[in-house]
């Protein structure tokens, strides 16, 4: 289970070009947007692409993202119950 | 400062092959938006304003061999020709200003009958220059969705410092797979024909069109409208998300008003950008409220054309000009109840009304915003 | 235009062949053979940009933010500083990347950079500039257009200073000249002087 979280952190760092961050810098409960990692609206769209590419999850409603991309823990929970690959 | 006049113009779009055909269609409430199948897109396609290629080629055959020109070139050449037809211009002195965001971008992959070099904006400009024999190298403006209006502002600014007296501004963009797939990834394509400023709006519809206009400091036949103020301002906030405070748009409106020596209360009509995305329309409403334009009749033409990118602000400038000349307010198509947090006065039905001044605005990726103020010349009443 | 005498090239930055020059002085010289993305990374580190957003940008924006940051360091400028940029290839390299991604899944973070003026947006955000912007496309460096247009903005009061220049990028080949133009300085803002700065080669 924690493997998925580590994997997620790694791919978020790569996919969103968070060059100056390492896996250790991101806490499972850190908020991804706002005061936490400070991600923005393009990052949110990029996370939707990541879900589709890596886990075969298609989000069609951009508002869905708001409930999923809260923290690494929330994302991992969603992926565990919805992944198709 | 000398008067800069917006003169002969032309619009080539799914609504028609001249400005008058376009205005006729708008008055009849016709939209160019139709469902187009495209397997790349969720739902198997999207609503877009796409020009019929064979109809275009047929029209183009009056002035050239359609097989030798791309669709966009045909559109932009036709628009330019139409403006040149009605004026005796000395092409060794007339400036040519071209506006496009992506030009012939779909040629990049060599999949069509043209070389991929032709995808470049420089190539596109050279085709237009050489077709008519403009002596001076064209000026090319590529500044996202404000390009078409910015090109007109640039013409004015250069005329005012004496760089030239006449400029033909030509703008055009296509509904390309390149752009459609991008907006799809942004999840900003509307499932229905776009509904600017409406409650249930859910994104843009794309469109394609070309337009041309003569900008000059010389009085000529016909009715002239003056461009009396223009400004751009960057939000300095986000490259794709509109500013929540409408900062750049507000600033550009203030600066344009200042140059025109008009106050907000003297504006008779406001032609908005109105793309129908949730955030853009909300941002505009905020900016218009800050600028005290709450009561000014407003419309967006995107419901008729879709978003024609680098052409949109020129087309809408031309339509604004004709609204003033005809003393007519055209309804904002597909409006279904106000869906922005601040009050604005959306034009819901066709109206005849004495109009003297108008404000045209546009905003685009990169945080750019543009405001232009048009005014009836003293001797320009119809 | 005689008015040109009143404005000066306060500062200039040149980026080419692994080198960065500030007012014709070398401030960074890297092996011209290192690949372009490595150059952008090394330059960021060595010039201490400290702006993590940089890493999210496409190469054209990285060039622009890198250049403008060094250009504007320790300079007096207000939010009313206009950006007048030009190049030949628009957003060519990222266009190709987007085009390739169309074969599979399109990336919004790539698509958003497929307009040349995005670099003006990134620079405006970095330096809090809320002024006039324009991106011109030219087949080659055209000092006349840059001087004439910048002068219209300064002369009409639409801007109090201007950053103008050339920012070309095609197939990882880059060629950048940016100038801060204001009331301060010694080099008159003329076509000849701008040409000279562009042609300048210190090798």
């Amino acid at each position: 289970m924690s493997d998925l979280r580590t994997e997620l952190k790694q791919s978020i760092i790569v996919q969103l070009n968070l060059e100056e961050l390492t896996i250790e810098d991101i806490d499972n409960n850190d908020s991804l947007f706002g005061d936490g990692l400070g991600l923005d609206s393009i990052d949110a769209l990029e996370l939707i692409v990541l879900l589709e590419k890596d886990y075969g999850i298609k989000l069609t409603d951009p508002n869905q993202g708001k409930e999923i991309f809260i923290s690494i823990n929330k994302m991992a929970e969603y992926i565990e119950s919805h992944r198709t690959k | 400062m000398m008067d800069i006049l917006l003169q002969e113009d032309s619009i080539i779009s799914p609504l028609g092959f001249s400005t008058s055909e376009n205005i006729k269609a708008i008055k009849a409430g016709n939209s160019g938006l139709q469902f187009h199948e495209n397997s790349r897109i969720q739902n198997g396609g999207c609503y877009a304003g796409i020009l019929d290629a064979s109809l275009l080629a047929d029209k183009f055959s009056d002035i050239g061999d359609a097989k030798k020109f791309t669709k966009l070139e045909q559109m932009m050449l036709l628009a330019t020709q139409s403006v040149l037809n009605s004026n005796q211009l000395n092409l060794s002195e007339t400036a040519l200003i071209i506006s496009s965001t992506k030009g012939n971008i779909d040629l990049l992959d060599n999949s069509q009958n043209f070389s991929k070099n032709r995808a470049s904006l420089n190539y596109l400009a050279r085709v237009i220059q050489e077709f008519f024999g403009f002596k001076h190298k064209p000026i090319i403006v590529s500044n996202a969705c404000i390009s078409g209006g910015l090109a007109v502002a640039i013409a004015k600014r250069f005329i005012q410092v004496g760089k030239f007296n006449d400029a033909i501004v030509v703008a055009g963009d296509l509904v390309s797979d390149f752009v459609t797939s991008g907006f799809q990834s942004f999840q900003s394509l509307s499932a229905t024909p776009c509904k600017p400023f409406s409650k249930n709006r859910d994104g843009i519809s794309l469109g394609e069109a070309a337009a041309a206009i003569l900008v000059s400091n010389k009085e000529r036949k016909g009715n002239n409208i003056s461009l009396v103020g223009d400004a751009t301002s960057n939000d300095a906030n986000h490259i794709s998300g509109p500013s929540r405070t409408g900062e750049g748009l507000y600033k550009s409106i203030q600066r344009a008003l200042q140059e025109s020596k008009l106050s907000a209360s003297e504006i008779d009509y406001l032609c908005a950008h109105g793309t129908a995305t949730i955030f853009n329309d909300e941002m505009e409403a905020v900016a218009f409220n800050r600028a005290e334009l709450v009561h000014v009749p407003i419309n967006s033409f995107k419901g008729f054309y879709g978003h024609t990118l680098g052409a949109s602000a020129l087309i809408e400038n031309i339509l604004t000009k004709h609204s003033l000349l005809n003393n007519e307010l055209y309804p904002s198509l597909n409006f279904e109840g106000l869906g922005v947090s601040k009050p604005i006065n959306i034009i819901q039905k066709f109206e005849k009304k004495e109009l003297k001044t108008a404000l045209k605005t546009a905003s685009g990726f990169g945080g750019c915003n543009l405001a232009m103020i048009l005014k009836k010349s003293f001797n320009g009443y119809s | 235009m005689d008015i040109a005498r009143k404005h000066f090239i306060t500062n200039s930055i040149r980026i080419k062949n692994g080198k960065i020059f500030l007012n014709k002085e070398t401030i960074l010289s890297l092996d011209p053979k290192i690949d372009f993305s490595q150059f952008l990374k090394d330059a960021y580190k060595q010039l201490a940009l400290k702006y993590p957003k940089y890493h999210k940008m496409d190469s054209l924006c990285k060039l622009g933010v890198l250049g403008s940051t060094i250009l504007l360091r320790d300079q007096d400028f207000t939010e009313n500083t206009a950006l007048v940029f030009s190049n030949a290839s628009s957003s060519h390299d990222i266009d190709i990347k987007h085009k390739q991604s169309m074969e599979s899944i399109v990336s919004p973070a790539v698509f958003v950079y497929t307009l040349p003026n995005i670099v003006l947006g990134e620079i405006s955000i970095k330096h809090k500039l809320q002024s006039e912007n324009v991106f011109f496309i030219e087949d080659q460096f055209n000092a006349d257009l840059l001087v004439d247009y910048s002068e219209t903005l300064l002369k009409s009061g639409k801007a109090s200073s201007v950053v103008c220049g050339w920012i070309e990028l095609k197939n990882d080949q880059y060629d950048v000249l940016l100038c801060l133009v204001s009331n301060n300085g010694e080099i008159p803002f003329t076509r000849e002087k701008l040409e000279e700065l562009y042609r300048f080669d210190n090798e």
Side-chain angles (χ1 to χ4, degrees), chain C residues 117-136:
Chain C
N117 66 298
I118 301 299
V119 65
L120 309 180
E122 292 285 17
I123 292 172
S124 295
I125 294 167
K126 173 79 176 72
H127 304 291
K128 301 186 172 61
L129 309 179
Q130 297 191 316
S131 185
E132 289 281 340
N133 283 181
V134 65
F135 206 106
F136 292 117

mmCIF file of all heavy atoms in Angstrom, chain C residues 117-136:
data_model
loop_
_atom_site.group_PDB
_atom_site.id
_atom_site.type_symbol
_atom_site.label_atom_id
_atom_site.label_comp_id
_atom_site.label_asym_id
_atom_site.label_seq_id
_atom_site.Cartn_x
_atom_site.Cartn_y
_atom_site.Cartn_z
ATOM 1 N N ASN C 117 3.458 33.854 -27.223
ATOM 2 C CA ASN C 117 3.347 34.904 -26.205
ATOM 3 C C ASN C 117 3.249 34.371 -24.780
ATOM 4 O O ASN C 117 3.176 35.165 -23.843
ATOM 5 C CB ASN C 117 2.138 35.800 -26.490
ATOM 6 C CG ASN C 117 0.841 35.035 -26.347
ATOM 7 O OD1 ASN C 117 0.594 34.076 -27.077
ATOM 8 N ND2 ASN C 117 0.009 35.416 -25.401
ATOM 9 N N ILE C 118 3.237 33.046 -24.603
ATOM 10 C CA ILE C 118 3.201 32.528 -23.231
ATOM 11 C C ILE C 118 4.443 32.989 -22.466
ATOM 12 O O ILE C 118 4.392 33.255 -21.266
ATOM 13 C CB ILE C 118 3.084 30.983 -23.212
ATOM 14 C CG1 ILE C 118 1.814 30.523 -23.949
ATOM 15 C CG2 ILE C 118 3.072 30.459 -21.772
ATOM 16 C CD1 ILE C 118 0.513 31.018 -23.384
ATOM 17 N N VAL C 119 5.557 33.110 -23.186
ATOM 18 C CA VAL C 119 6.781 33.579 -22.516
ATOM 19 C C VAL C 119 6.580 34.992 -21.948
ATOM 20 O O VAL C 119 7.120 35.330 -20.890
ATOM 21 C CB VAL C 119 8.003 33.512 -23.481
ATOM 22 C CG1 VAL C 119 7.872 34.467 -24.649
ATOM 23 C CG2 VAL C 119 9.297 33.817 -22.723
ATOM 24 N N LEU C 120 5.768 35.797 -22.601
ATOM 25 C CA LEU C 120 5.479 37.140 -22.082
ATOM 26 C C LEU C 120 4.685 37.033 -20.777
ATOM 27 O O LEU C 120 4.897 37.807 -19.839
ATOM 28 C CB LEU C 120 4.691 37.971 -23.110
ATOM 29 C CG LEU C 120 5.270 38.031 -24.530
ATOM 30 C CD1 LEU C 120 4.381 38.883 -25.431
ATOM 31 C CD2 LEU C 120 6.682 38.576 -24.509
ATOM 32 N N GLY C 121 3.784 36.045 -20.740
ATOM 33 C CA GLY C 121 3.008 35.801 -19.526
ATOM 34 C C GLY C 121 3.905 35.351 -18.380
ATOM 35 O O GLY C 121 3.796 35.848 -17.260
ATOM 36 N N GLU C 122 4.803 34.412 -18.662
ATOM 37 C CA GLU C 122 5.704 33.909 -17.612
ATOM 38 C C GLU C 122 6.603 35.028 -17.086
ATOM 39 O O GLU C 122 6.843 35.126 -15.881
ATOM 40 C CB GLU C 122 6.563 32.746 -18.140
ATOM 41 C CG GLU C 122 5.776 31.461 -18.441
ATOM 42 C CD GLU C 122 5.347 30.686 -17.184
ATOM 43 O OE1 GLU C 122 5.351 31.262 -16.082
ATOM 44 O OE2 GLU C 122 4.989 29.494 -17.328
ATOM 45 N N ILE C 123 7.100 35.860 -17.981
ATOM 46 C CA ILE C 123 7.963 36.968 -17.556
ATOM 47 C C ILE C 123 7.152 37.986 -16.745
ATOM 48 O O ILE C 123 7.614 38.507 -15.734
ATOM 49 C CB ILE C 123 8.647 37.629 -18.779
ATOM 50 C CG1 ILE C 123 9.652 36.645 -19.407
ATOM 51 C CG2 ILE C 123 9.343 38.935 -18.390
ATOM 52 C CD1 ILE C 123 10.246 37.115 -20.725
ATOM 53 N N SER C 124 5.925 38.246 -17.190
ATOM 54 C CA SER C 124 5.060 39.181 -16.464
ATOM 55 C C SER C 124 4.790 38.680 -15.044
ATOM 56 O O SER C 124 4.782 39.459 -14.092
ATOM 57 C CB SER C 124 3.724 39.374 -17.196
ATOM 58 O OG SER C 124 3.938 39.986 -18.446
ATOM 59 N N ILE C 125 4.561 37.368 -14.915
ATOM 60 C CA ILE C 125 4.307 36.800 -13.580
ATOM 61 C C ILE C 125 5.565 36.920 -12.717
ATOM 62 O O ILE C 125 5.510 37.391 -11.581
ATOM 63 C CB ILE C 125 3.875 35.314 -13.697
ATOM 64 C CG1 ILE C 125 2.516 35.207 -14.396
ATOM 65 C CG2 ILE C 125 3.820 34.666 -12.318
ATOM 66 C CD1 ILE C 125 2.143 33.796 -14.836
ATOM 67 N N LYS C 126 6.689 36.529 -13.286
ATOM 68 C CA LYS C 126 7.951 36.532 -12.523
ATOM 69 C C LYS C 126 8.297 37.932 -12.030
ATOM 70 O O LYS C 126 8.729 38.097 -10.893
ATOM 71 C CB LYS C 126 9.074 35.998 -13.416
ATOM 72 C CG LYS C 126 10.483 36.097 -12.845
ATOM 73 C CD LYS C 126 10.755 34.979 -11.844
ATOM 74 C CE LYS C 126 12.175 34.973 -11.309
ATOM 75 N NZ LYS C 126 12.491 36.058 -10.389
ATOM 76 N N HIS C 127 8.123 38.931 -12.888
ATOM 77 C CA HIS C 127 8.574 40.286 -12.527
ATOM 78 C C HIS C 127 7.427 41.245 -12.228
ATOM 79 O O HIS C 127 7.631 42.448 -12.131
ATOM 80 C CB HIS C 127 9.462 40.847 -13.641
ATOM 81 C CG HIS C 127 10.636 39.973 -13.952
ATOM 82 N ND1 HIS C 127 11.682 39.806 -13.079
ATOM 83 C CD2 HIS C 127 10.902 39.167 -15.008
ATOM 84 C CE1 HIS C 127 12.567 38.947 -13.602
ATOM 85 N NE2 HIS C 127 12.100 38.544 -14.774
ATOM 86 N N LYS C 128 6.204 40.687 -12.120
ATOM 87 C CA LYS C 128 5.010 41.480 -11.794
ATOM 88 C C LYS C 128 4.829 42.667 -12.744
ATOM 89 O O LYS C 128 4.678 43.814 -12.328
ATOM 90 C CB LYS C 128 5.082 41.971 -10.352
ATOM 91 C CG LYS C 128 5.187 40.805 -9.354
ATOM 92 C CD LYS C 128 5.116 41.292 -7.919
ATOM 93 C CE LYS C 128 5.021 40.141 -6.941
ATOM 94 N NZ LYS C 128 6.190 39.222 -6.976
ATOM 95 N N LEU C 129 4.843 42.388 -14.036
ATOM 96 C CA LEU C 129 4.642 43.424 -15.049
ATOM 97 C C LEU C 129 3.210 43.345 -15.565
ATOM 98 O O LEU C 129 2.755 42.282 -15.967
ATOM 99 C CB LEU C 129 5.618 43.223 -16.216
ATOM 100 C CG LEU C 129 7.090 43.073 -15.848
ATOM 101 C CD1 LEU C 129 7.931 42.846 -17.104
ATOM 102 C CD2 LEU C 129 7.577 44.292 -15.078
ATOM 103 N N GLN C 130 2.487 44.450 -15.540
ATOM 104 C CA GLN C 130 1.086 44.436 -15.994
ATOM 105 C C GLN C 130 0.890 45.418 -17.137
ATOM 106 O O GLN C 130 -0.046 46.203 -17.161
ATOM 107 C CB GLN C 130 0.159 44.769 -14.837
ATOM 108 C CG GLN C 130 0.245 43.714 -13.737
ATOM 109 C CD GLN C 130 -0.836 43.853 -12.715
ATOM 110 O OE1 GLN C 130 -1.136 44.937 -12.262
ATOM 111 N NE2 GLN C 130 -1.446 42.728 -12.342
ATOM 112 N N SER C 131 1.792 45.369 -18.078
ATOM 113 C CA SER C 131 1.757 46.383 -19.123
ATOM 114 C C SER C 131 1.449 45.788 -20.490
ATOM 115 O O SER C 131 0.928 44.681 -20.610
ATOM 116 C CB SER C 131 3.100 47.109 -19.116
ATOM 117 O OG SER C 131 3.080 48.184 -20.022
ATOM 118 N N GLU C 132 1.811 46.547 -21.514
ATOM 119 C CA GLU C 132 1.617 46.152 -22.906
ATOM 120 C C GLU C 132 2.461 44.932 -23.255
ATOM 121 O O GLU C 132 3.606 44.824 -22.818
ATOM 122 C CB GLU C 132 2.043 47.313 -23.820
ATOM 123 C CG GLU C 132 1.113 48.505 -23.801
ATOM 124 C CD GLU C 132 -0.126 48.277 -24.658
ATOM 125 O OE1 GLU C 132 -0.104 47.403 -25.539
ATOM 126 O OE2 GLU C 132 -1.123 48.979 -24.431
ATOM 127 N N ASN C 133 1.904 44.037 -24.047
ATOM 128 C CA ASN C 133 2.613 42.859 -24.552
ATOM 129 C C ASN C 133 2.392 42.741 -26.044
ATOM 130 O O ASN C 133 1.287 43.003 -26.520
ATOM 131 C CB ASN C 133 2.012 41.565 -23.984
ATOM 132 C CG ASN C 133 2.406 41.274 -22.544
ATOM 133 O OD1 ASN C 133 1.997 40.266 -21.988
ATOM 134 N ND2 ASN C 133 3.191 42.142 -21.923
ATOM 135 N N VAL C 134 3.426 42.340 -26.770
ATOM 136 C CA VAL C 134 3.188 41.899 -28.138
ATOM 137 C C VAL C 134 4.263 40.892 -28.525
ATOM 138 O O VAL C 134 5.422 41.002 -28.119
ATOM 139 C CB VAL C 134 3.159 43.058 -29.158
ATOM 140 C CG1 VAL C 134 4.495 43.756 -29.276
ATOM 141 C CG2 VAL C 134 2.716 42.555 -30.541
ATOM 142 N N PHE C 135 3.842 39.902 -29.305
ATOM 143 C CA PHE C 135 4.814 38.966 -29.880
ATOM 144 C C PHE C 135 4.719 39.051 -31.401
ATOM 145 O O PHE C 135 3.676 38.757 -31.978
ATOM 146 C CB PHE C 135 4.574 37.530 -29.404
ATOM 147 C CG PHE C 135 5.845 36.714 -29.451
ATOM 148 C CD1 PHE C 135 6.521 36.376 -28.296
ATOM 149 C CD2 PHE C 135 6.401 36.330 -30.679
ATOM 150 C CE1 PHE C 135 7.719 35.662 -28.332
ATOM 151 C CE2 PHE C 135 7.592 35.623 -30.727
ATOM 152 C CZ PHE C 135 8.257 35.284 -29.553
ATOM 153 N N PHE C 136 5.820 39.485 -32.033
ATOM 154 C CA PHE C 136 5.899 39.572 -33.492
ATOM 155 C C PHE C 136 6.646 38.362 -34.041
ATOM 156 O O PHE C 136 7.608 37.885 -33.426
ATOM 157 C CB PHE C 136 6.700 40.813 -33.922
ATOM 158 C CG PHE C 136 6.039 42.128 -33.630
ATOM 159 C CD1 PHE C 136 6.615 43.044 -32.756
ATOM 160 C CD2 PHE C 136 4.843 42.472 -34.256
ATOM 161 C CE1 PHE C 136 6.019 44.278 -32.495
ATOM 162 C CE2 PHE C 136 4.244 43.706 -34.008
ATOM 163 C CZ PHE C 136 4.831 44.608 -33.130
#
